[in-house]
Amino acid sequence: MGKADARIPELDGLRGIAILLVLGWHFTGMLMNPSDGAVQEIIWRFGIFGQSGVDLFFVLSGFLIVGIVVDNRTSPTLFRTFYARRALRILPPYLLLVFSFAIASAIFGRTYYLGGDLPLWSLLTFSQNWVMSYIRDFGPASISATWSLTIEEQFYLVAPAIIFFLPRRFLWPALIAVGLMSIAARSICFALYPENVYAPYVLTPLRLDGLSAGGLIAIAYRSPKWPTIESRKSLLLIAMIVLLGIAPFYTWFLHSEIAHQVLYHFGHSYLTVLYSLTLLNILTRSGTVATSWLRSPAMIGVGAISYSLYLFHTPFKGIFFIAAGHPESFRSWTDGLLLFLALLSTFAFCAALYWIVERPAQKLGKSFSYSTTKSPCHRAWQKQERPFELSQTVDSPHQ
């Protein structure tokens, strides 16, 4: 098994955590009215932390994608294989969602879930996040969550070329620079244009800190210094716990008058550091009892279908509330039953989609391999610099 073919099972479980955070917010707190009681107010006020699951996805994606490219950067089939595998991983469920949305919009017209101001060409080119910023709206609910997918796709588009052509010694400082500039740009953008609260949330250049942080961890994971990082796992755990302790205060301010100031000047940066430490703690304890719960069949199973869960949970929620004849809410036992049935249906559909569509497509993607035969130009290029060394005590990831 090649380096890029090894898996870290805990990362599948971590994907499960990310999607469960998102689902928890979208199926509970987001739909509650805090005036209905103390319990509802608590869930509404603190459940919003669930939206940070997207930030966790960004850190994970940076780690996995940068790692794949770094492991295979000398392969003459790097670009062909990378983009073929990405396309077969991303496009089948996504196109199913987009075309279903387009057909339903043509039949039923403009509603809360359908139609809207996101043109089909933007959905097909993964550029809808820029349109969202321009129109200052997420668009129809059934397709609104795709903004984060576009950021990742745009990152996938340019990252392999940058990693391939950039000298190795510059890769680490380049990722640091990109992450810091993204943090600064996000804060400056909101300071200059506070009336557009969508731009710093959905625009790719302003959300690259999580992807860059994940990429930095991927490089560190392959470094000869990784055992030194592992030896400091206690400090990493303490740092993660301290930052996690800030979460209740952070989420409290997300329901205040300064919510956007907190989110764009502090929040996303805080979440990037928190989830980077989370990833480091999991990597330094991979294979141990401490992370065995992330390797459980349940968590790995949720992680396996996390992508389709993210895409389809809002449409399924909409189907049930449209059938019930009233807007989404969680204010009664009837609402709770509708949400439970919608969630159950989402899991059933996504599990079927995984086995019928996603898994065969990923298997097809495996037919594209990263060739280890190097052309003369690759061998000449490789001699110019000392390669990354992978610690013999750990495996490298593969998505």
Side-chain angles (χ1 to χ4, degrees):
M1 179 180 291
K3 290 186 295 184
D5 292 321
R7 290 191 72 91
I8 302 172
E10 287 88 352
L11 298 190
D12 292 317
L14 195 55
R15 286 194 204 95
I17 293 296
I19 190 58
L20 289 176
L21 282 169
V22 173
L23 294 177
W25 170 241
H26 287 179
F27 277 82
T28 58
M30 187 179 77
L31 304 176
M32 289 184 170
N33 189 326
S35 64
D36 286 345
V39 173
Q40 288 88 336
E41 182 178 6
I42 290 174
I43 297 175
W44 169 81
R45 183 168 294 280
F46 296 107
I48 195 173
F49 189 77
Q51 67 182 196
S52 72
V54 175
D55 297 81
L56 177 53
F57 274 126
F58 284 157
V59 173
L60 271 173
S61 293
F63 176 76
L64 293 163
I65 296 306
V66 171
I68 290 170
V69 178
V70 165
D71 283 344
N72 299 284
R73 62 184 294 174
T74 59
S75 170
T77 62
L78 169 64
F79 296 106
R80 182 189 68 187
T81 300
F82 178 84
Y83 289 117
R85 289 187 176 188
R86 286 295 91 199
L88 289 166
R89 173 70 179 94
I90 297 298
L91 291 180
Y94 178 75
L95 291 178
L96 177 61
L97 174 68
V98 169
F99 287 122
S100 298
F101 165 79
I103 294 170
S105 295
I107 295 173
F108 299 104
R110 184 171 185 144
T111 69
Y112 173 72
Y113 298 99
L114 302 171
D117 299 319
L118 294 181
L120 183 60
W121 62 261
S122 70
L123 299 173
L124 294 176
T125 58
F126 292 99
S127 58
Q128 62 264 41
N129 60 326
W130 295 91
V131 178
M132 291 174 180
S133 174
Y134 179 75
I135 65 175
R136 300 182 186 182
D137 192 271
F138 286 113
S142 62
I143 210 79
S144 60
T146 59
W147 68 267
S148 63
L149 178 62
T150 66
I151 290 177
E152 294 197 6
E153 291 309 299
Q154 291 161 26
F155 176 75
Y156 298 163
L157 185 64
V158 300
I162 293 174
I163 296 172
F164 178 80
F165 289 107
L166 193 69
R168 286 183 173 91
R169 63 182 179 275
F170 295 137
L171 186 53
W172 178 277
L175 285 169
I176 294 176
V178 168
L180 292 177
M181 286 191 293
S182 183
I183 291 172
R186 181 170 59 238
S187 183
I188 293 171
C189 176
F190 179 71
L192 293 178
Y193 307 101
E195 69 281 359
N196 187 352
V197 297
Y198 291 90
Y201 197 81
V202 304
L203 292 185
T204 303
L206 312 184
R207 296 301 302 271
L208 291 175
D209 45 321
L211 290 159
S212 298
L216 286 170
I217 296 173
I219 295 172
Y221 188 63
R222 290 155 174 77
S223 168
K225 296 182 180 179
W226 179 253
T228 302
I229 297 175
E230 284 189 306
S231 68
R232 296 173 181 172
K233 62 179 66 176
S234 296
L235 291 177
L236 292 173
L237 180 60
I238 292 172
M240 184 186 73
I241 293 174
V242 169
L243 284 186
L244 193 59
I246 299 174
F249 304 97
Y250 164 66
T251 54
W252 180 276
F253 281 108
L254 291 183
H255 286 299
S256 70
E257 293 181 353
I258 59 171
H260 292 113
Q261 288 88 336
V262 170
L263 183 63
Y264 297 135
H265 295 316
F266 166 77
H268 289 305
S269 306
Y270 156 70
L271 293 170
T272 290
V273 177
L274 171 63
Y275 287 133
S276 295
L277 285 168
T278 301
L279 178 57
L280 283 168
N281 273 282
I282 290 171
L283 291 173
T284 56
R285 292 170 173 81
S286 178
T288 67
V289 175
T291 58
S292 59
W293 63 283
L294 287 171
R295 301 191 301 272
S296 68
M299 290 308 304
I300 290 177
V302 173
I305 63 173
S306 59
Y307 173 49
S308 55
L309 284 172
Y310 183 77
L311 289 179
F312 289 99
H313 73 275
T314 300
F316 270 92
K317 189 168 52 169
I319 289 171
F320 278 84
F321 277 92
I322 289 173
H326 65 84
E328 291 180 14
S329 65
F330 194 173
R331 307 190 67 178
S332 67
W333 288 108
T334 302
D335 293 338
L337 178 60
L338 288 172
L339 288 166
F340 173 75
L341 293 174
L343 186 62
L344 191 64
S345 299
T346 304
F347 269 88
F349 173 81
C350 293
L353 185 67
Y354 175 77
W355 287 104
I356 297 172
V357 177
E358 290 189 76
R359 189 175 175 88
Q362 292 175 37
K363 186 177 180 180
L364 179 61
K366 294 294 185 180
S367 66
F368 296 88
S369 62
Y370 292 103
S371 172
T372 57
T373 302
K374 301 178 180 62
S375 63
C377 63
H378 277 83
R379 289 193 293 267
W381 174 83
Q382 191 177 26
K383 290 179 181 179
Q384 294 176 6
E385 302 178 70
R386 181 172 178 265
F388 286 113
E389 296 179 17
L390 182 68
S391 170
Q392 296 179 355
T393 61
V394 294
D395 296 320
S396 58
H398 177 65
Q399 189 174 20

